[in-house]
Amino acid sequence: MTETPSPARRRWDPIVRITHWSIALAVLANALVTEEGSGPHIWVGYGLAAILGLRLLWGLVGPAEARFSAFWPSPHKALSHLRDIRAGRKEHHSSHNPLGALMVYAIWGCLLTIIGTGIAMAGPPPWDGSEREAEHRTIATATQGEDAEGEEEGGEAGEAEEGPLGEIHETAANLLYLLILLHIGGVIFETRRSGKQVLMAMAPLGR
Ligand code: HEM
Ligand code: HEM
């Protein structure tokens, strides 16, 4: 197959670019800055949910290259894209390339799992974190073995309420960190292979 000339890629539309960098910021904030389960963690989490909701809506009504139909997940296409890479062929893709598309859906799947479990654990407002801190103190004391009977009850109640959800939340977050590393590795690889326009198309500023 002949090499397809790669026309200069246009920028992603502003909604894709703004939601991309806001999602990245929110993930970084909750992974590195906010205290797990605290008020700010939950507020950032709801912000993340709203931004992701906007991007998913955009996948239905946005411009052609931002729609799900432009980068439907396909292991078959991903394998053929891998073959193109191995053969040194550079195909032009107007949306995410087929490998990138799989990564996008994997990241979104993780985010939705984190958001779903997070909202289920956070419960109704207010989310100032004070109740959760009290619960954690009770659980911590109960598991240290110096527990009074009342604290043991509190510990059991707390764990029963958030045990499996917390586990899923944390596992999905860890998986997300791994995917993000692979994603950034993929972007660097694709930038070296096909040129800087891959990265520039997602640049937050400029036309
Ligand atoms: C990608 C963004 C997020 C990351 C990286 C993240 C990460 C984490 C981690 C590592 C924990 C500790 C889990 C444990 O030890 O059980 C945690 C706890 C928690 N997160 Fe998130 N989280 C995110 C988004 C959210 C969202 C969207 C919400 C809700 C709107 C949320 C609500 C909570 C709550 C309530 C806890 C406390 C669980 C407990 O009390 O054990 N998080 N988060
Ligand atoms: C927390 C960190 C990050 C997350 C969660 C993340 C997530 C995503 C997602 C979901 C997409 C698909 C965009 C869409 O269609 O809406 C995407 C695309 C993209 N991301 Fe990230 N990203 C992160 C960090 C980064 C960083 C640091 C870079 C730059 C080195 C980057 C560069 C890109 C590029 C260039 C694309 C478009 C790839 C293509 O043309 O197919 N991302 N990212």
Side-chain angles (χ1 to χ4, degrees):
M1 198 191 280
T2 51
E3 190 170 301
T4 314
S6 163
R9 188 205 266 260
R10 287 185 301 136
R11 289 281 170 99
W12 286 98
D13 68 78
I15 297 284
V16 169
R17 286 186 280 147
I18 291 168
T19 53
H20 175 263
W21 292 110
S22 317
I23 288 172
L25 266 184
V27 168
L28 281 183
N30 267 3
L32 302 175
V33 182
T34 64
E35 195 183 324
E36 297 159 0
S38 65
H41 185 89
I42 295 171
W43 279 111
V44 169
Y46 270 97
L48 171 67
I51 303 161
L52 182 60
L54 172 61
R55 173 59 183 101
L56 295 182
L57 183 67
W58 205 235
L60 296 174
V61 302
E65 66 276 8
R67 293 198 184 197
F68 304 127
S69 53
F71 58 102
W72 212 242
S74 158
H76 175 73
K77 283 189 186 160
L79 281 176
S80 119
H81 181 64
L82 272 178
R83 279 194 291 272
D84 285 341
I85 292 177
R86 287 188 59 172
R89 283 189 295 264
K90 292 175 191 164
E91 297 286 313
H92 172 69
H93 301 276
S94 58
S95 185
H96 300 298
N97 73 46
L99 272 181
L102 291 185
M103 177 58 81
V104 172
Y105 286 104
I107 291 178
W108 282 343
C110 267
L111 287 173
L112 288 171
T113 307
I114 292 171
I115 289 167
T117 49
I119 289 177
M121 287 189 295
W127 304 297
D128 58 8
S130 50
E131 271 183 36
R132 312 202 71 79
E133 274 162 29
E135 268 172 25
H136 274 293
R137 271 198 301 278
T138 316
I139 292 168
T141 325
T143 45
Q144 272 165 14
E146 305 159 1
D147 37 355
E149 278 168 33
E151 283 167 343
E152 231 172 54
E153 270 171 31
E156 278 165 18
E159 277 168 20
E161 186 197 330
E162 65 198 29
L165 287 176
E167 289 282 318
I168 298 172
H169 191 77
E170 196 178 11
T171 308
N174 287 334
L175 181 57
L176 179 67
Y177 304 152
L178 180 68
L179 292 178
I180 289 169
L181 288 180
L182 289 173
H183 167 56
I184 294 174
V187 169
I188 293 172
F189 175 80
E190 199 50 39
T191 304
R192 294 174 72 146
R193 198 175 79 94
S194 314
K196 254 191 356 200
Q197 74 273 11
V198 173
L199 195 56
M200 293 317 289
M202 194 52 95
L205 301 174
R207 286 187 304 127

